[in-house]
Amino acid sequence: MNPTPPPSLSLSPTPSRPSPPLRRLLGALGAAAALAACTTTPKQPGNAVYDFGAPVVAAAPAAAPLPALVVAAVGGPPALDNERMVYRLNYADPLQARTYAMSRWGSSPLEMLTQRFKSRLSQAGVKVLSPEDAALGIPLLRIEVDDFSHVFDSPGASHGQVVLRASLFDGHRLLDQRTFSRKSAATSADAGGGARALAASADAVAGEMLAWLAAAPKK
């Protein structure tokens, strides 16, 4: 007969459990680590300067949306009138606008958008004029940006978001107004990925704006 081993020599010893104070300490450390993981700042490479890149040459439409158009400088909040690159961690605090410390735009987003939209209009056959060169009877386009930021829905998923309002005037009379909103997925969770996504969103909005101008009421 095989004797039963004494408790001290049991073949399946019961593992000891941490004391209550130790369990509370381990739980607090785990929660702190999880919170830190949720609010991790996106990767930031060394000093880098971004812009929209060379404009994509699109095929000219059969007819220009308008023969000529006065395009005012794009307006927007003061946060977009400088070279800082803005991003938001929607999964942590969507109300906090953050900026990349080691990366910036080559010029302000408002200036880049003004130049991009003028370029796309010119490619479409529109004679683009500045307010200083405006002639009587030529429609005026005003654009106000509401959002231009790199938005993180999770630490590994983000997009470039552009939201703006475009107004077409004949003198002081409003002909039409429309809000444009576009999101483009970022290919990387860093400033470079955000820059590429925002450039794609800006180009997409420009294309939609051309179609809107072609269909907008004429004076």
Side-chain angles (χ1 to χ4, degrees):
M1 181 174 103
N2 296 325
T4 301
S8 60
L9 298 178
S10 174
L11 298 178
S12 300
T14 301
S16 60
R17 299 183 62 189
S19 63
L22 181 57
R23 288 201 301 272
R24 287 195 293 270
L25 176 60
L26 292 175
L29 291 175
L35 180 61
C38 288
T39 57
T40 300
T41 300
K43 294 181 293 183
Q44 300 196 44
N47 291 335
V49 179
Y50 297 95
D51 57 26
F52 288 166
V56 177
V57 179
L66 291 168
L69 185 64
V70 177
V71 180
V74 173
L80 299 179
D81 199 15
N82 56 68
E83 291 76 32
R84 292 192 290 271
M85 299 184 72
V86 177
Y87 70 93
R88 293 180 184 273
L89 303 180
N90 272 6
Y91 60 89
D93 186 356
L95 301 184
Q96 183 177 359
R98 310 164 192 250
T99 56
Y100 285 103
M102 305 296 290
S103 302
R104 62 181 178 85
W105 293 112
S107 58
S108 76
L110 299 182
E111 292 172 335
M112 291 192 301
L113 287 169
T114 299
Q115 187 57 41
R116 198 62 152 198
F117 293 153
K118 285 184 175 182
S119 175
R120 288 296 301 274
L121 287 165
S122 180
Q123 286 181 18
V126 180
K127 294 180 175 61
V128 178
L129 302 177
S130 297
E132 297 79 12
D133 304 321
L136 187 64
I138 297 180
L140 168 68
L141 177 65
R142 292 191 181 277
I143 299 170
E144 291 290 326
V145 179
D146 293 321
D147 191 22
F148 183 88
S149 55
H150 185 192
V151 180
F152 285 81
D153 300 306
S154 69
S158 63
H159 60 269
Q161 179 166 292
V162 175
V163 181
L164 57 83
R165 181 177 62 261
S167 305
L168 184 65
F169 290 90
D170 173 25
H172 296 289
R173 183 168 68 95
L174 178 65
L175 295 175
D176 200 6
Q177 185 179 86
R178 181 176 167 183
T179 296
F180 296 88
S181 178
R182 193 62 179 249
K183 298 178 181 179
S184 297
T187 57
S188 58
D190 54 15
R196 288 184 288 273
L198 284 164
S201 291
D203 283 337
V205 166
E208 294 175 1
M209 195 179 304
L210 286 172
W212 166 69
L213 289 170
K218 305 301 186 287
K219 62 178 182 176

